[in-house]
Coordinates of all heavy atoms in Angstrom, one line a residue:
S25 N 19.1 -6.0 -11.4 CA 18.3 -5.4 -12.4 C 17.0 -6.2 -12.5 O 16.9 -7.4 -12.4 CB 19.0 -5.5 -13.8 OG 20.1 -4.7 -13.8
F27 N 13.4 -7.6 -14.4 CA 13.0 -7.9 -15.8 C 12.3 -6.7 -16.3 O 11.4 -6.1 -15.7 CB 12.1 -9.1 -15.8 CG 12.8 -10.4 -15.7 CD1 12.8 -11.2 -14.5 CD2 13.5 -11.0 -16.7 CE1 13.5 -12.3 -14.3 CE2 14.2 -12.1 -16.6 CZ 14.2 -12.8 -15.4
V28 N 12.6 -6.4 -17.6 CA 12.0 -5.3 -18.3 C 11.5 -5.8 -19.6 O 12.3 -6.4 -20.4 CB 13.0 -4.1 -18.5 CG1 12.4 -3.0 -19.3 CG2 13.6 -3.6 -17.2
Y29 N 10.2 -5.6 -19.9 CA 9.6 -6.0 -21.1 C 9.4 -4.8 -22.0 O 8.8 -3.8 -21.6 CB 8.3 -6.8 -20.8 CG 8.5 -8.0 -20.0 CD1 8.6 -8.0 -18.7 CD2 8.6 -9.3 -20.7 CE1 8.8 -9.2 -17.9 CE2 8.8 -10.4 -20.0 CZ 8.9 -10.4 -18.6 OH 9.1 -11.5 -17.8
W30 N 9.8 -4.9 -23.3 CA 9.7 -3.7 -24.1 C 8.9 -4.1 -25.4 O 8.9 -5.2 -25.9 CB 11.0 -3.1 -24.4 CG 11.8 -3.7 -25.6 CD1 12.5 -4.9 -25.6 CD2 11.9 -3.2 -26.9 NE1 13.0 -5.2 -26.8 CE2 12.7 -4.1 -27.7 CE3 11.4 -2.1 -27.6 CZ2 13.0 -3.9 -29.0 CZ3 11.7 -1.9 -28.9 CH2 12.5 -2.8 -29.6
H76 N 20.0 0.9 -16.6 CA 20.3 2.0 -17.5 C 20.1 1.5 -18.9 O 20.5 0.5 -19.3 CB 21.7 2.6 -17.3 CG 22.0 3.6 -18.3 ND1 21.6 4.9 -18.3 CD2 22.8 3.5 -19.4 CE1 22.1 5.5 -19.3 NE2 22.8 4.7 -20.0
L77 N 19.5 2.4 -19.7 CA 19.2 2.1 -21.2 C 19.7 3.2 -22.0 O 19.3 4.4 -21.7 CB 17.8 1.7 -21.5 CG 17.2 0.4 -21.0 CD1 15.7 0.3 -21.2 CD2 17.9 -0.8 -21.8
D78 N 20.5 3.0 -23.1 CA 20.8 4.0 -24.1 C 19.9 3.6 -25.3 O 20.1 2.5 -25.9 CB 22.2 4.0 -24.5 CG 23.1 4.5 -23.3 OD1 22.8 5.6 -22.8 OD2 24.2 3.8 -23.0
R111 N 15.8 -2.4 -32.9 CA 16.1 -2.8 -31.5 C 15.9 -1.7 -30.5 O 15.8 -0.5 -31.0 CB 17.6 -3.4 -31.4 CG 18.7 -2.4 -31.7 CD 20.0 -3.0 -31.6 NE 21.1 -2.0 -31.9 CZ 21.6 -1.8 -33.2 NH1 21.1 -2.6 -34.2 NH2 22.5 -0.9 -33.4
L112 N 16.0 -2.0 -29.2 CA 15.8 -0.9 -28.3 C 17.0 -0.1 -28.0 O 17.0 1.1 -27.8 CB 15.2 -1.5 -26.9 CG 15.0 -0.5 -25.8 CD1 13.9 0.5 -26.2 CD2 14.6 -1.3 -24.5
T113 N 18.2 -0.8 -27.9 CA 19.4 -0.2 -27.4 C 20.2 0.4 -28.6 O 20.2 -0.1 -29.7 CB 20.2 -1.2 -26.6 OG1 20.5 -2.3 -27.4 CG2 19.5 -1.6 -25.4
S114 N 21.1 1.3 -28.2 CA 21.9 2.0 -29.3 C 22.9 1.0 -29.8 O 23.3 1.0 -31.0 CB 22.6 3.2 -28.7 OG 23.4 2.8 -27.6
E115 N 23.4 0.1 -29.0 CA 24.3 -1.0 -29.4 C 23.7 -2.3 -29.4 O 22.7 -2.5 -28.6 CB 25.6 -1.0 -28.6 CG 26.4 0.3 -28.6 CD 27.6 0.3 -27.7 OE1 27.9 -0.7 -27.1 OE2 28.3 1.3 -27.6
R116 N 24.2 -3.2 -30.1 CA 23.6 -4.6 -30.1 C 24.2 -5.4 -28.8 O 25.2 -6.0 -28.9 CB 24.1 -5.4 -31.4 CG 23.4 -4.9 -32.6 CD 23.7 -5.7 -33.8 NE 23.1 -5.3 -35.0 CZ 23.1 -5.8 -36.2 NH1 23.8 -7.0 -36.3 NH2 22.5 -5.3 -37.2
L117 N 23.4 -5.2 -27.8 CA 23.7 -5.8 -26.5 C 22.7 -6.9 -26.2 O 21.5 -6.7 -26.4 CB 23.7 -4.8 -25.4 CG 24.7 -3.6 -25.6 CD1 24.4 -2.6 -24.5 CD2 26.1 -4.0 -25.6
K118 N 23.2 -8.0 -25.6 CA 22.3 -9.0 -25.1 C 22.2 -8.9 -23.6 O 23.1 -9.3 -22.8 CB 22.9 -10.4 -25.4 CG 22.0 -11.6 -24.9 CD 20.6 -11.4 -25.5 CE 19.7 -12.6 -24.9 NZ 18.3 -12.4 -25.3
L119 N 21.2 -8.2 -23.2 CA 20.9 -7.9 -21.7 C 20.0 -9.0 -21.2 O 18.9 -9.1 -21.7 CB 20.3 -6.5 -21.5 CG 21.1 -5.3 -22.0 CD1 20.4 -4.1 -21.9 CD2 22.5 -5.2 -21.3
P120 N 20.4 -9.8 -20.3 CA 19.6 -11.0 -19.8 C 18.3 -10.5 -19.1 O 17.3 -11.3 -19.1 CB 20.5 -11.6 -18.8 CG 21.5 -10.6 -18.3 CD 21.7 -9.7 -19.5
W121 N 18.2 -9.3 -18.6 CA 17.0 -8.9 -18.0 C 16.0 -8.1 -18.9 O 14.9 -7.8 -18.5 CB 17.3 -8.0 -16.8 CG 18.3 -6.9 -17.1 CD1 19.7 -7.0 -17.0 CD2 18.1 -5.6 -17.7 NE1 20.3 -5.9 -17.4 CE2 19.4 -5.0 -17.8 CE3 17.0 -4.9 -18.1 CZ2 19.5 -3.7 -18.4 CZ3 17.1 -3.7 -18.6 CH2 18.4 -3.1 -18.8
L122 N 16.4 -7.8 -20.2 CA 15.6 -7.2 -21.2 C 14.9 -8.2 -22.0 O 15.5 -9.0 -22.7 CB 16.4 -6.2 -22.0 CG 15.7 -5.3 -23.0 CD1 14.7 -4.4 -22.3 CD2 16.7 -4.5 -23.8
K123 N 13.6 -8.2 -22.0 CA 12.7 -9.1 -22.7 C 11.8 -8.4 -23.7 O 11.5 -7.2 -23.6 CB 11.9 -9.9 -21.7 CG 12.7 -10.5 -20.5 CD 13.6 -11.6 -20.9 CE 14.3 -12.3 -19.7 NZ 15.2 -13.4 -20.1
I124 N 11.3 -9.2 -24.6 CA 10.4 -8.7 -25.6 C 9.0 -8.9 -25.1 O 8.5 -10.0 -24.6 CB 10.6 -9.4 -27.0 CG1 11.9 -9.1 -27.5 CG2 9.5 -9.0 -27.9 CD1 12.2 -9.8 -28.8
D125 N 8.2 -7.9 -25.2 CA 6.7 -7.9 -24.9 C 6.0 -8.1 -26.2 O 5.7 -7.2 -26.9 CB 6.3 -6.6 -24.2 CG 4.9 -6.7 -23.7 OD1 4.1 -7.7 -24.1 OD2 4.5 -5.9 -22.8
F126 N 5.7 -9.4 -26.5 CA 5.1 -9.7 -27.8 C 3.8 -9.1 -28.0 O 3.3 -8.8 -29.2 CB 5.0 -11.2 -28.0 CG 6.3 -11.9 -28.0 CD1 6.8 -12.6 -27.0 CD2 7.0 -11.9 -29.2 CE1 8.0 -13.2 -27.0 CE2 8.3 -12.6 -29.3 CZ 8.8 -13.2 -28.2
D139 N 12.5 -8.4 -35.8 CA 13.0 -8.0 -34.5 C 13.8 -9.1 -33.9 O 14.8 -8.8 -33.2 CB 11.8 -7.5 -33.6 CG 12.3 -7.0 -32.3 OD1 12.8 -5.8 -32.3 OD2 12.3 -7.7 -31.3
M140 N 13.3 -10.3 -34.0 CA 14.0 -11.4 -33.4 C 15.3 -11.6 -34.0 O 16.3 -12.0 -33.3 CB 13.1 -12.7 -33.6 CG 11.8 -12.7 -32.8 SD 12.1 -12.8 -31.0 CE 12.9 -14.4 -30.9
E141 N 15.5 -11.3 -35.3 CA 16.8 -11.4 -35.9 C 17.8 -10.5 -35.3 O 18.9 -10.8 -35.0 CB 16.6 -11.1 -37.4 CG 17.9 -11.2 -38.2 CD 17.7 -11.0 -39.7 OE1 16.6 -10.8 -40.1 OE2 18.7 -11.1 -40.3
F142 N 17.4 -9.2 -35.0 CA 18.3 -8.3 -34.4 C 18.6 -8.6 -33.0 O 19.7 -8.5 -32.5 CB 17.7 -6.8 -34.5 CG 17.9 -6.2 -35.8 CD1 16.9 -6.3 -36.8 CD2 19.1 -5.6 -36.1 CE1 17.1 -5.7 -38.0 CE2 19.3 -5.0 -37.4 CZ 18.3 -5.1 -38.3
E143 N 17.6 -9.1 -32.2 CA 17.8 -9.3 -30.8 C 18.5 -10.7 -30.5 O 19.3 -10.7 -29.5 CB 16.4 -9.4 -30.1 CG 15.7 -8.1 -30.1 CD 16.4 -7.1 -29.2 OE1 17.0 -7.5 -28.2 OE2 16.2 -5.9 -29.4
N144 N 18.3 -11.6 -31.3 CA 18.9 -12.9 -31.0 C 19.7 -13.6 -32.1 O 20.2 -14.7 -32.0 CB 17.7 -14.0 -30.7 CG 16.9 -13.5 -29.5 OD1 17.4 -13.2 -28.5 ND2 15.6 -13.4 -29.8
G145 N 19.9 -12.8 -33.2 CA 20.8 -13.3 -34.2 C 20.2 -14.3 -35.1 O 20.9 -15.0 -35.9
T146 N 18.9 -14.6 -35.0 CA 18.2 -15.5 -35.9 C 16.8 -15.2 -36.2 O 16.2 -14.5 -35.3 CB 18.2 -17.0 -35.3 OG1 17.5 -17.9 -36.1 CG2 17.6 -17.0 -33.9
E151 N 13.6 -20.8 -33.4 CA 14.2 -19.9 -32.4 C 13.2 -19.0 -31.7 O 13.2 -18.7 -30.5 CB 15.3 -19.1 -33.1 CG 16.5 -19.8 -33.4 CD 17.2 -20.4 -32.2 OE1 17.2 -19.7 -31.1 OE2 17.8 -21.4 -32.3
M152 N 12.2 -18.5 -32.6 CA 11.2 -17.8 -32.0 C 10.3 -18.5 -31.0 O 10.0 -18.0 -29.9 CB 10.3 -17.2 -33.1 CG 9.2 -16.1 -32.6 SD 8.4 -15.3 -33.9 CE 7.4 -16.6 -34.5
D154 N 11.3 -21.1 -29.3 CA 12.2 -21.3 -28.1 C 12.2 -20.0 -27.2 O 12.2 -20.1 -26.0 CB 13.6 -21.6 -28.5 CG 13.7 -23.0 -29.1 OD1 12.8 -23.8 -28.9 OD2 14.8 -23.3 -29.8
K155 N 12.2 -18.9 -27.9 CA 12.2 -17.6 -27.1 C 11.0 -17.4 -26.3 O 11.0 -17.1 -25.1 CB 12.3 -16.4 -28.0 CG 12.3 -15.1 -27.4 CD 13.5 -14.8 -26.6 CE 13.4 -13.4 -26.0 NZ 14.6 -13.0 -25.2
I156 N 9.8 -17.8 -26.9 CA 8.5 -17.7 -26.2 C 8.5 -18.7 -25.0 O 8.0 -18.3 -23.9 CB 7.3 -18.0 -27.2 CG1 7.3 -16.9 -28.2 CG2 6.0 -18.1 -26.5 CD1 6.3 -17.2 -29.3
V158 N 11.0 -19.7 -23.2 CA 11.8 -19.1 -22.2 C 11.1 -18.0 -21.4 O 11.1 -17.9 -20.2 CB 13.2 -18.6 -22.7 CG1 13.9 -17.8 -21.7 CG2 14.0 -19.7 -23.3
E159 N 10.4 -17.2 -22.2 CA 9.6 -16.1 -21.5 C 8.6 -16.6 -20.6 O 8.4 -16.2 -19.5 CB 8.9 -15.3 -22.6 CG 9.9 -14.6 -23.6 CD 10.6 -13.4 -22.9 OE1 10.0 -12.8 -22.0 OE2 11.7 -13.1 -23.3
S162 N 10.2 -18.1 -17.5 CA 10.7 -17.1 -16.5 C 9.5 -16.4 -15.8 O 9.5 -16.1 -14.6 CB 11.5 -16.1 -17.2 OG 10.7 -15.3 -18.2

Side-chain angles (χ1 to χ4, degrees):
S25 295
F27 281 104
V28 179
Y29 296 84
W30 84 282
H76 171 78
L77 287 171
D78 290 314
R111 60 179 180 270
L112 178 63
T113 56
S114 59
E115 299 180 1
R116 291 187 180 183
L117 301 173
K118 180 57 181 174
L119 301 173
W121 45 268
L122 184 60
K123 310 290 184 179
I124 294 175
D125 189 346
F126 292 101
D139 184 79
M140 291 294 294
E141 181 177 0
F142 280 95
E143 293 290 334
N144 300 308
T146 177
E151 288 294 329
M152 186 170 72
D154 289 343
K155 178 69 176 178
I156 295 173
V158 171
E159 295 290 332
S162 65

